[in-house]
Amino acid sequence: MLNFTLRRLAQSAVTLFVMSLLVFTGVYAIGNPVDILINPQADQAEIAQTIARLGLDRPLWEQYWIFLKGALTGDLGKSFAASIPAIELIFERMPATLELAFMAMLIAIVLGIPLGLLAGLKPDSWIGRSIMAGSILGFSLPTFWVGLMLIMVFSVQLGWLPTTGRGATVDIFGIPVSFLTWDGIRHLILPATNLALFKLSLLIRLTRAGTREAMLQDYVRYARAKGVPESNVVRIHVLRNILIPIVTVVGLELGSLIAFAVVTETVFAWPGMGKLLIDSINVLDRPVIVAYLLVIVFLFIFINLLVDLLYTALDPRVRLKGSR
Amino acid sequence: MGSYFWEMIAGTTPALTLPLKGRESQGTPSPSGGRRGWGWFIKRWPILFSAIALAITTGSTPAAELRIGLSGEVTSLDPHLLASQPNLTVARHVFESLTDVDPQTRLIPGLAESWRAIDATTWEFNLRRGVKFHDGSDFTAEDAAFSLQRPLSIKGSPGGFASYVRAIASATAVDAHTLRIKTKYPYGALPEDINSILIVSRKNALNAGPEDFDAGRAMIGTGPYKFVRYQRGDRLELARHDGWWGKAPAWPSWDRVTLRVIPADPSRTASLLSGELDVIEHVPSADIKKINKNNNLRVTQTTSWRTILLHLDQYRAQPPGITDVSGKPLAKNPFMDLRVRQAISKAINRAAIAERVMEGLAVPAANIVSPGVFGHNAALKAEAYDVEGAKKLLAAAGYPNGFHVTLAGPNNRYINDEQVLQTVAQLLTRVGIITRVEAMPMSAFLGRVRKEETSFALLGWGSFAADLALRSLVAAPNPDKGYGAWNWGRYANPRVDALMEQALGSVDRNKRETLAREANTLAMNDLAFIPLHHQVVSWAMRTGLNYTPRTDEFTFAHHFTPR
């Protein structure tokens, strides 16, 4: 167990290093942030001074070396546009994104697994068919379009929910969260639904497929033959067995929800990390871009580790060995 | 995206123009509701909802609050960190500058009641008396002197305000209400330049960094609004500064102001339509018609100071991307020939671009600065669309069969910029200049320009004065003097440069404007670059509001008044 965790951590360090190198070079290749942020009235001398002051005139390897030295001491550099440590900017925005992603995942799980079960148990009924048809829509409609439609219908037409932004927050252990206030929840519903839609469809399909397969297994037949009530068959025999792939997917997808909430955050003007990333890419704010992607890679690694640990809880046959 | 979206909506839901919120429901339901799909819903909801909303709003006092949707991301509240329009927009609610500008970009008194040049390099500013900072302390010449020096002490910024104070040799407080500024050389544009330097309180900003401003600790200005709360990437909340020096009719009408940052165009419009915002700036061109049809909303517009232009390579014998019709390099650079530049100018149908591509959000340009701006020459008329004339000029210049060029530009910076590029390319191809378009995000585009990989490129420029614009865009690049930093084509005309230099060196404003106008005329007649159009800037708001549209595109809560 300990061996396994240590090995994972070592692998993570390599991943983080490669990632930082890739991003650093990529952003460098696009252009110079000073070109886009410079005061239009600046003259050549000021432009040159600014570039030198930010260290952007040095060769790429040297810039990377300076970054690496800082990163090893926990300093990922200051944002060019805000002149604030990049990591601070990201952590400041993180609660908003995590809140949105968790809410979306919650919606996807709470609706997706029961609907998927239903569709799997009664594949030929009208309800099973409509669930599947709905999930196709959830898959195929582009997020930004659905987001705008949600705004048009529920905010502009009906006036039920606010269009954009994050609601009132309260501090929990110093972290501002909005899901504990009524205003906050009202602001959260539309973006979370929008973000959840794709994952909801995914979970429905996954659960349905798993259920249909499990229903044909010998242990289900045997349980039925034994006279186990149908509800217990579903709950104990079917659900338990299909949960492993679902947990894997939920874990992976949670990472992608956090990392790719970008579109939803932009449409709903949600002040999360994704919106910060887009703004930073637009002005080539390299410290923020690099720091953001490193944080995301770290999150993915962490979530995968959690998923692996969860397996052992769900399936006692799985053992975490050093060799994995 | 915006246009497609609204067409989609308009096709299915005529209720777009219906009043839904109680406080805006004084209008009668739109006659367009009914028949189609959503009809049942349209008929019932407004009545129900206005009743509910009315019940809610009548319960509270009609607090004078204004909620504005801004289009640009604010990176910092520090007024001296990054000279970007969104940052300055929010900062100008809390801070003020010595000189101010009116909606037509003409200089007016700000924290300085008056100023004059004592000699060619000395200026004296008489500061307003009885001005209080938000913490109750008095505004003095010491604060002004400190603020003029602070931009130089900020080291971590990629686009600071040092450019506006580079002409200043020293700024000293003669007494509490007199500030004397010595310039390094005769410099007539000092009052324009220091309009961008906001005055902070020396006591509160002495050791403050950007984080102190973001947290509100150092947000102590003299402006009409006080800092209340800031949520980065989301909103800035402000409250009226009751000790502000201004009097009616300039006295701000709103007790509280919320500035929301919503860069996504359709979302900003939707927030206005839903009644969540009272005002939005930079209305997407596709939405203006729809908003104008709405009984509860109105749009106000003016010609912006932003001129959209095309820079032409005029220094390399064989610029990249330019070949003859068969793809072989040309013997010489065609852009160096005035006749070719004239042909390009004649081949561009500016009226069609303004009307169709820009959907009315442009005015054809013949000047480096917009109408009304210092140094604008109203006698210059936008070149008429003339295909035959263009072809004749090309033939006379030795290109009867035309040639190939590549036109580069941004696709996320100016209004409909990529469509403008495509249209210009089509129009040029029609007269024989076969044009390929390379549109890319501004960040990548500027990278290409700096590497000198472009020879024909689109740029937008806003300025208070023609001589300032000429200094950056048209003067022969000269790093020692700081000229021509944005003269991508390296156009060089010693007569224009001399006039521009004389204009900037004149502390007599009348003389300066005459010289600036002359330099502008000369550069435009020689087509130093191809002027396309001046953008039109628009605001959309509740019908109950009034705003004098500003040429400099700024959105100021304190200038909105109830009608």
Side-chain angles (χ1 to χ4, degrees):
Chain A
M1 178 83 181
L2 181 71
N3 194 359
F4 168 79
T5 316
L6 283 177
R7 218 170 243 267
R8 263 307 180 75
L9 285 178
Q11 285 168 357
S12 314
V14 176
T15 317
L16 285 172
F17 173 76
V18 174
M19 187 71 187
S20 71
L21 194 62
L22 281 176
V23 177
F24 210 86
T25 332
V27 179
Y28 179 85
I30 297 174
N32 188 334
V34 171
D35 285 338
I36 190 157
L37 286 171
I38 192 75
N39 183 341
Q41 289 240 14
D43 60 19
Q44 291 89 336
E46 275 161 46
I47 296 174
Q49 279 165 14
T50 309
I51 290 175
R53 217 160 37 213
L54 295 173
L56 297 168
D57 55 337
R58 297 164 200 245
L60 178 62
W61 66 266
E62 203 183 326
Q63 292 187 39
Y64 185 72
W65 178 241
I66 293 169
F67 161 79
L68 207 59
K69 275 197 298 190
L72 290 176
T73 62
D75 173 16
L76 293 177
K78 266 189 177 183
S79 152
F80 296 144
S83 205
I84 280 180
I87 201 78
E88 249 176 58
L89 276 180
I90 290 165
F91 284 143
E92 188 186 287
R93 300 285 194 96
M94 201 185 247
T97 297
L98 289 182
E99 183 173 84
L100 186 62
F102 281 125
M103 189 58 104
M105 207 30 131
L106 194 71
I107 293 175
I109 292 172
V110 167
L111 293 177
I113 294 180
L115 286 176
L117 259 179
L118 198 60
L121 294 172
K122 297 178 175 171
D124 296 321
S125 67
W126 66 270
I127 188 150
R129 283 170 195 275
S130 10
I131 291 172
M132 291 316 287
S135 79
I136 289 174
L137 278 185
F139 260 125
S140 47
L141 294 177
T143 317
F144 77 87
W145 187 84
V146 174
L148 290 172
M149 281 302 161
L150 288 175
I151 292 180
M152 282 314 295
V153 174
F154 293 99
S155 306
V156 177
Q157 297 289 342
L158 300 174
W160 289 353
L161 295 167
T163 46
T164 51
R166 194 176 182 215
T169 56
V170 284
D171 280 12
I172 301 245
F173 307 118
I175 299 165
V177 295
S178 74
F179 66 89
L180 293 177
T181 65
W182 175 231
D183 182 51
I185 291 175
R186 275 167 43 87
H187 278 86
L188 195 53
I189 293 173
L190 286 187
T193 309
N194 189 42
L195 193 58
L197 220 52
F198 189 86
K199 307 299 169 201
L200 172 62
S201 313
L202 188 70
L203 278 185
I204 288 177
R205 308 211 124 217
L206 200 68
T207 314
R208 175 181 178 267
T211 310
R212 292 202 68 180
E213 197 186 321
M215 292 303 281
L216 301 175
Q217 296 295 319
D218 290 343
Y219 59 80
V220 171
R221 276 194 220 166
Y222 183 68
R224 278 188 177 149
K226 225 169 58 170
V228 178
E230 189 67 17
S231 64
N232 278 6
V233 171
V234 171
R235 208 157 39 87
I236 297 166
H237 297 282
V238 176
L239 196 57
R240 184 108 196 229
N241 277 296
I242 62 171
L243 269 185
I244 286 208
I246 291 178
V247 167
T248 313
V249 169
V250 165
L252 284 176
E253 295 295 322
L254 181 64
S256 81
L257 269 184
I258 296 169
F260 306 120
V262 179
V263 175
T264 298
E265 287 186 4
T266 306
V267 170
F268 288 92
W270 188 263
M273 297 188 292
K275 197 157 163 275
L276 175 70
L277 177 70
I278 288 289
D279 297 334
S280 304
I281 290 175
N282 277 336
V283 297
L284 299 178
D285 199 338
R286 189 174 65 200
V288 181
I289 303 173
V290 175
Y292 173 86
L293 290 166
L294 291 183
V295 166
I296 290 298
V297 171
F298 184 80
L299 265 178
F300 266 92
I301 293 169
F302 179 73
I303 290 171
N304 279 354
L305 187 66
L306 263 187
V307 168
D308 283 337
L309 296 176
L310 254 180
Y311 282 163
T312 52
L314 282 172
D315 186 346
R317 290 172 307 178
V318 176
R319 290 277 175 276
L320 298 176
K321 295 193 190 83
S323 60
R324 271 189 64 188
Chain B
M1 176 168 114
S3 147
Y4 166 69
F5 171 61
W6 291 120
E7 292 311 318
M8 285 290 301
I9 292 291
T12 52
T13 60
L16 199 70
T17 54
L18 276 182
L20 289 168
K21 291 275 165 147
R23 38 173 212 81
E24 290 182 5
S25 62
Q26 72 274 35
T28 49
S30 156
S32 66
R35 297 187 296 279
R36 279 193 287 174
W38 291 70
W40 58 274
F41 176 68
I42 291 152
K43 275 189 195 138
R44 286 161 185 81
W45 286 116
I47 302 157
L48 193 66
F49 272 84
S50 17
I52 295 170
L54 206 70
I56 296 166
T57 44
T58 45
S60 60
T61 48
E65 190 193 358
L66 192 70
R67 299 153 307 170
I68 301 180
L70 302 177
S71 64
E73 196 57 55
V74 177
T75 68
S76 176
L77 292 188
D78 188 327
H80 299 143
L81 181 70
L82 186 71
S84 74
Q85 186 116 7
N87 285 17
L88 270 171
T89 301
V90 298
R92 281 184 189 278
H93 284 83
V94 174
F95 302 100
E96 295 169 295
S97 44
L98 294 178
T99 61
D100 204 354
V101 288
D102 70 4
Q104 288 79 41
T105 72
R106 293 291 170 157
L107 283 175
I108 53 172
L111 284 178
E113 273 181 319
S114 64
W115 55 89
R116 67 194 173 96
I118 299 175
D119 58 48
T121 56
T122 314
W123 293 76
E124 204 165 85
F125 288 78
N126 295 314
L127 308 186
R128 206 173 281 280
R129 283 154 201 274
V131 173
K132 298 266 185 208
F133 279 106
H134 298 161
D135 64 353
S137 57
D138 288 319
F139 157 70
T140 68
E142 290 290 343
D143 298 302
F146 169 76
S147 303
L148 288 173
Q149 160 281 316
R150 187 167 179 269
L152 295 171
S153 66
I154 292 183
K155 296 297 176 214
S157 162
F161 288 75
S163 322
Y164 298 117
V165 294
R166 67 168 175 247
I168 297 178
S170 69
T172 42
V174 178
D175 60 47
H177 299 287
T178 313
L179 181 74
R180 188 166 291 164
I181 299 179
K182 283 266 190 199
T183 57
K184 293 174 187 158
Y185 37 84
Y187 188 56
L190 182 76
E192 270 97 352
D193 276 5
I194 62 171
N195 166 258
S196 297
I197 304 295
L198 296 175
I199 305 301
V200 296
S201 132
R202 183 173 186 278
K203 188 177 79 184
N204 292 291
L206 192 56
N207 297 310
E211 59 283 355
D212 299 299
F213 283 90
D214 289 346
R217 289 187 290 273
M219 288 293 278
I220 307 294
T222 60
Y225 284 98
K226 288 190 290 195
F227 173 94
V228 175
R229 196 175 77 92
Y230 175 51
Q231 173 69 50
R232 200 194 304 278
D234 186 26
R235 68 187 68 205
L236 173 67
E237 289 170 20
L238 302 163
R240 183 167 51 211
H241 168 37
D242 289 320
W244 190 50
W245 54 269
K247 303 266 179 297
W251 187 253
S253 311
W254 319 102
D255 305 321
R256 286 183 299 128
V257 166
T258 304
L259 303 173
R260 297 263 321 266
V261 179
I262 311 180
D265 285 342
S267 311
R268 199 164 62 252
T269 309
S271 296
L272 177 75
L273 289 174
S274 74
E276 225 167 289
L277 295 176
D278 303 306
V279 177
I280 57 168
E281 62 171 10
H282 294 289
V283 189
S285 59
D287 298 339
I288 286 182
K289 265 185 216 147
K290 301 268 156 31
I291 291 175
N292 267 328
K293 278 188 208 153
N294 189 321
N295 291 331
N296 300 312
L297 300 173
R298 59 191 287 260
V299 174
T300 159
Q301 299 180 315
T302 191
T303 308
S304 147
W305 61 353
R306 206 172 299 280
T307 307
I308 304 296
L309 53 100
L310 302 175
H311 266 313
L312 313 135
D313 186 311
Q314 294 169 62
Y315 68 103
R316 282 176 285 197
Q318 283 168 339
I322 300 186
T323 61
D324 70 3
V325 274
S326 60
K328 289 194 209 57
L330 288 166
K332 55 182 190 231
N333 178 347
F335 292 154
M336 286 184 184
D337 191 327
L338 175 62
R339 289 168 297 186
V340 173
R341 302 203 293 275
Q342 282 168 339
I344 292 173
S345 193
K346 278 184 196 296
I348 296 171
N349 189 347
R350 291 178 176 78
I353 291 178
E355 215 173 282
R356 313 250 177 83
V357 182
M358 297 290 290
E359 300 178 68
L361 290 188
V363 176
N367 258 276
I368 193 166
V369 286
S370 296
V373 176
F374 189 86
H376 177 268
N377 184 356
L380 290 173
K381 295 279 175 257
E383 185 77 59
Y385 180 47
D386 178 6
V387 175
E388 287 315 310
K391 282 184 179 162
K392 258 181 226 155
L393 280 164
L394 277 181
Y399 304 97
N401 300 320
F403 50 89
H404 276 275
V405 297
T406 303
L407 174 62
N411 60 10
N412 61 352
R413 185 66 157 218
Y414 312 112
I415 304 176
N416 301 345
D417 40 15
E418 188 170 359
Q419 292 94 311
V420 170
L421 288 169
Q422 298 287 1
T423 313
V424 168
Q426 301 264 331
L427 290 164
L428 293 182
T429 303
R430 197 173 286 179
V431 300
I433 304 172
I434 299 152
T435 310
R436 202 167 70 87
V437 169
E438 274 183 359
M440 58 202 108
M442 191 66 173
S443 50
F445 169 62
L446 286 176
R448 300 274 318 268
V449 170
R450 291 284 168 214
K451 285 181 203 145
E452 302 186 349
E453 290 171 4
T454 60
S455 57
F456 192 26
L458 181 138
L459 176 65
W461 201 263
S463 183
F464 282 139
D467 48 1
L468 288 174
L470 286 165
R471 182 176 70 184
S472 300
L473 293 175
V474 171
N478 179 343
D480 295 334
K481 289 184 169 178
Y483 291 168
W486 293 76
N487 183 356
W488 295 343
R490 298 202 203 165
Y491 170 82
N493 183 338
R495 283 177 59 213
V496 174
D497 290 8
L499 280 169
M500 180 274 303
E501 207 162 22
Q502 275 180 45
L504 280 175
S506 311
V507 292
D508 174 343
R509 280 191 82 75
N510 289 332
K511 190 179 153 210
R512 182 180 153 216
E513 182 157 17
T514 312
L515 287 163
R517 190 176 290 129
E518 210 177 313
N520 166 24
T521 311
L522 206 58
M524 288 299 92
N525 284 336
D526 200 26
L527 288 173
F529 55 78
I530 311 282
L532 287 183
H533 52 254
H534 308 296
Q535 288 189 354
V536 167
V537 56
S538 41
W539 289 262
M541 63 198 81
R542 286 194 279 123
T543 34
L545 293 174
N546 210 6
Y547 189 62
T548 310
R550 293 183 66 90
T551 301
D552 60 13
E553 302 191 353
F554 276 109
T555 305
F556 295 138
H558 39 290
H559 291 178
F560 282 89
T561 50
R563 288 218 292 185

